[in-house]
Amino acid sequence: MKNTLMIVMLLILALVGYRTFQPNSPTNISTIDVTTETSPVSVSTSTDFDDIPPTYIDTDIETASTSVVEPVMSTKSAAPSFSCDGRQHCSQMTSCAEATYFSNHCPNTKMDGNHDGVPCEQQWCN
């Protein structure tokens, strides 16, 4: 009986505390008329893009700018300290320079999957 009375008292106390610290109910909060407070939605049409200036491409070869793409790793500066020892895969290499040396000087390497001349692009030479 004493335990039941104690539980009822705790429930009543919790209910009173909950109602005391509960924020105002939604019915007491003033509502805002959304239709009068929002701005009209703009719909873009193809005529909205007419004021954007067009992009011109220079077709004159003499004045056109050209970009020179240089390789990230030159094969000419391969270190002579590397030697072909049977390694074939990128997981066996320790650097991009080593992978490049092996790819260019050793037989049966499997480090340039897309055959673009740059070995181990995902691991070392990225």
Side-chain angles (χ1 to χ4, degrees), residues 5 7 9 12 19-20 34 39 50 56 80 88-89 104 106 114:
L5 185 60
I7 292 174
M9 293 276 292
I12 291 173
R19 288 189 181 215
T20 302
V34 178
S39 61
D50 289 339
Y56 296 99
Q88 297 178 341
H89 302 283
N104 293 331
C106 303
N114 58 1

Side-chain angles (χ1 to χ4, degrees), residues 42-55:
S42 63
V43 177
S44 65
T45 61
S46 63
T47 59
D48 292 339
F49 301 110
D50 289 339
D51 58 345
I52 299 174
T55 304

